[in-house]
């Protein structure tokens, strides 16, 4: 897969571990919950690490609603516990994905990533792109190997998708531009919601991100964990139409989340 990371079956959480190999899941005990990795099974949901402070967006379709509105209600696990776990899995796991919430809001992120890198792991950062200075700092320090940036919508529609009246689009543009013209591995991605996106979004995104190497359309899936449940998704054929629009200017455009 792009970037050498292969997310494996399990529960989506804030910190995910990646391997280049696929094995049948098996039962593990006495490990910190909230971690996604190769042999995952029977891990309790609703866990965050101590570097996830919530999010600065209020996207109504967010799949991790509880982490956005009430991050303090989730169990905490210290960096030491997580690092101990990673030390024991050296040679089995290849990478760690830091997501959220919005992880770049954390004051302890740089230090924590440094400790992960010292163990020899690759690091992928999931971000909404609202804090370009942090992304640049982490990249220049060699603390991240890949960035996955969420593109919520076309610029004019960002307010509706982020739940913020006036999102800081200059920061969003700066992060996207840094990825487009830098040397760091990256992907852009959009979770596509029937009630919130139209063809116009993807026509404008095609112009905005022209020349991008990798972009994914992610099918929305409703669940109780969504910040505002009840939205619908587009069909695979409809997503293919958006894909064709984006392929006019973007090298690789994939579709995720279709059963």
């Amino acid at each position: 897969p792009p970037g050498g990371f292969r997310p494996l079956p399990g529960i989506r959480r804030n910190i995910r571990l990646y391997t280049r190999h696929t094995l049948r899941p098996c039962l593990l005990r006495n490990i910190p919950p909230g971690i996604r990795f190769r042999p995952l099974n029977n891990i309790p949901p609703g866990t965050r690490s101590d570097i996830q402070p919530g999010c600065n967006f209020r996207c109504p379709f967010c799949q991790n609603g509880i982490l956005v509105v009430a991050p303090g209600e989730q169990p905490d696990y210290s960096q030491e516990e997580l690092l101990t776990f990673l030390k024991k899995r050296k040679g089995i796991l290849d990478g760690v994905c830091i997501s959220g919430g919005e992880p770049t809001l954390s004051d302890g992120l740089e230090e924590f990533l440094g400790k992960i890198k010292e163990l020899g792991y690759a690091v992928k950062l999931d971000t909404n792109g609202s804090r370009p200075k942090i992304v640049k700092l982490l990249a220049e320090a060699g603390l991240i190997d890949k960035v996955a940036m969420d593109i919520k919508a076309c610029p004019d529609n960002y307010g509706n998708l982020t739940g913020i009246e006036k999102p800081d689009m200059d920061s969003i543009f700066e992060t996207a531009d840094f990825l487009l013209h830098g040397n760091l591995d990256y992907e852009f991605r959009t979770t596509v919601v029937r009630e919130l996106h139209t063809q116009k979004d993807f026509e404008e995104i095609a112009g905005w991100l022209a020349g991008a190497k990798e972009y994914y359309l992610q099918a929305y899936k409703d669940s109780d964990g969504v910040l505002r449940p009840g939205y619908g998704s587009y069909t695979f054929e409809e997503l293919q139409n958006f894909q064709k629009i984006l392929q006019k200017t973007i090298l690789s455009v994939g579709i995720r989340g279709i059963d």
Side-chain angles (χ1 to χ4, degrees):
F5 292 98
R6 182 185 298 277
L8 296 161
I11 306 171
R12 182 186 173 101
R13 294 291 168 256
N14 297 74
I15 295 182
R16 286 169 281 164
L17 309 188
Y18 290 77
T19 177
R20 297 186 183 91
H21 311 287
T22 302
L23 295 180
R24 181 174 57 85
C26 64
L27 178 63
L28 295 182
R29 300 182 184 276
N30 300 321
I31 61 171
I35 298 175
R36 184 178 185 179
F37 59 102
R38 184 185 63 194
L40 176 61
N41 188 22
N42 213 31
I43 305 300
T47 301
R48 65 187 180 95
S49 82
D50 61 0
I51 66 165
Q52 257 67 39
C55 189
N56 52 350
F57 286 174
R58 291 296 180 269
C59 306
F61 59 94
C62 178
Q63 296 287 334
N64 294 323
I66 189 66
L67 297 173
V68 174
V69 299
E73 295 180 6
Q74 306 307 302
D76 280 326
Y77 289 89
S78 69
Q79 291 186 19
E80 288 70 24
E81 288 178 279
L82 296 173
L83 291 169
T84 297
F85 175 82
L86 289 174
K87 289 176 183 177
K88 293 179 179 179
R89 268 62 183 187
K90 288 180 67 174
I92 300 174
L93 305 171
D94 299 306
V96 179
C97 177
I98 307 294
S99 62
E102 176 50 43
T104 62
L105 295 174
S106 172
D107 292 334
L109 182 61
E110 183 178 359
E111 177 186 1
F112 185 50
L113 294 186
K115 294 176 181 178
I116 293 175
K117 294 296 289 182
E118 287 177 359
L119 295 176
Y121 288 101
V123 174
K124 173 175 168 280
L125 177 72
D126 290 352
T127 180
N128 60 27
S130 62
R131 306 196 76 198
K133 291 182 180 179
I134 301 298
V135 175
K136 291 178 182 179
L137 173 67
L138 297 175
E140 291 166 0
L143 296 176
I144 50 178
D145 300 282
K146 182 172 183 176
V147 169
M149 179 177 170
D150 291 321
I151 302 297
K152 303 299 182 180
C154 68
D156 290 344
N157 198 19
Y158 245 75
N160 293 327
L161 272 292
T162 60
I164 298 174
E165 185 176 355
K166 294 182 179 180
D168 182 3
M169 291 307 302
D170 287 341
S171 291
I172 302 296
F173 292 147
E174 185 177 344
T175 303
D177 187 69
F178 171 71
L179 297 175
L180 280 168
H181 300 102
N183 297 317
L184 186 66
D185 193 14
Y186 70 89
E187 69 177 53
F188 296 116
R189 61 195 188 183
T190 300
T191 298
V192 190
V193 184
R194 178 173 292 277
E195 292 84 355
L196 301 177
H197 294 97
T198 66
Q199 180 170 312
K200 175 178 177 291
D201 284 288
F202 301 102
E203 291 172 345
E204 295 192 12
I205 290 172
W208 171 18
L209 300 180
K213 70 177 187 66
E214 194 173 355
Y215 185 105
Y216 290 94
L217 295 163
Q218 300 181 156
Y220 170 79
K221 290 189 177 182
D222 203 32
S223 71
D224 292 338
V226 173
L227 195 59
R228 191 184 302 168
Y231 289 111
S233 59
Y234 281 98
T235 66
F236 180 64
E237 290 72 22
E238 290 169 324
L239 291 174
Q240 283 183 310
N241 179 55
F242 299 149
Q243 182 185 40
K244 291 176 182 177
I245 293 170
L246 294 163
Q247 285 174 331
K248 295 177 182 178
T249 63
I250 296 174
L251 181 62
S252 175
V253 182
I255 297 175
R256 290 173 172 160
I258 293 291
D259 295 330

